[in-house]
Amino acid sequence: MQALYSILCLTIMLSFSDNIKAQKIEVSDIEGFCEFSRHLTMEQMEQKALEDAKIRALRKAGIPEKIWSVTDLMKEDDGTSFNQILTQMTSVELNGMVQLTENPHYDEKEMYGKRYIVATITKAVIHKGEEPDRTFVVSMDGLQKVYNEGEKASFNVTIYGKDAYLHIFWFSNENGSCIYPNNYEKKKKFEKDIEHSFPLNAYYILEKDNPDAPFESCNIFIVATKEDIPYVSKDVTLNSILKWYFSIPASKRFAYRDSFLIR
């Protein structure tokens, strides 16, 4: 199965929509550190140092500790990193994002008898977002952990807190698609506190991207929104979905992730 190499720099490419009331705070000359490790490449150590610098920048701007600043190097050949990214997304609250306005500088430094990679954020803007609605939640059940190729998948989704619109995506290591809404199942508002069965009136037939692979990991990602906020990108990639997701005010969205294997 072909490995996927992708750098997720949402903190750089994120564009906040006009309806998000985000406070902007400028910061400069923030250092982050990563200790040298023979288990990491230079690029990975630089990314970890930059992530540390972004967290320090958020702290300097007064953003609470419950943050998610994402700069993650994905090297994926079995779905593990993909799962970790989406699990983080559904379990950690977003209260701040870092937008670099100048390229960071990297250097090496010895401190306390140890060598470190140092990333310096010369200039950045902190976008301070709003709090999520803790009563607005989505749950799913009925999805099997393992399917045989050619089997049909189905599951149930329940929304709590407020009626909502749903977008359902799934990804293998190489491909992604929006399985709801689609050409056969139109978008609608789903009632809260009721179990909704998917597919509504279609079939989810499972096939591996690589027929010769013994198994394939597939991730399912459900986004609930209080308002009708369409996903308009022609591409269905992790980057494009996360960019769309984070353009929605935190109080008006919720994401749920699960995964299964096709054998």
Side-chain angles (χ1 to χ4, degrees), residues 67-82:
I67 57 176
W68 189 42
S69 170
V70 182
T71 302
D72 198 347
L73 177 66
M74 286 180 63
K75 287 192 174 180
E76 178 184 337
D77 56 9
D78 63 356
T80 301
S81 296
F82 199 108

Side-chain angles (χ1 to χ4, degrees), residues 8 21 23 25 27 32 42 61 65 69 71 79 85 91 99 107 143 149 162 206 215 219 221 242:
L8 298 184
K21 298 177 180 178
Q23 179 184 355
I25 304 169
V27 296
M42 180 63 70
E65 288 298 305
S69 170
T71 302
I85 291 291
S91 62
Q99 180 184 11
D107 203 353
L143 187 71
E149 189 171 19
K162 190 176 180 64
L206 304 176
F215 67 89
N219 295 270
F221 181 40
L242 294 184

Side-chain angles (χ1 to χ4, degrees), residues 99-114:
Q99 180 184 11
L100 301 183
T101 53
E102 290 185 3
N103 291 331
H105 294 163
Y106 297 99
D107 203 353
E108 298 181 17
K109 186 179 291 186
E110 186 168 333
M111 298 183 298
Y112 313 110
K114 296 180 179 180

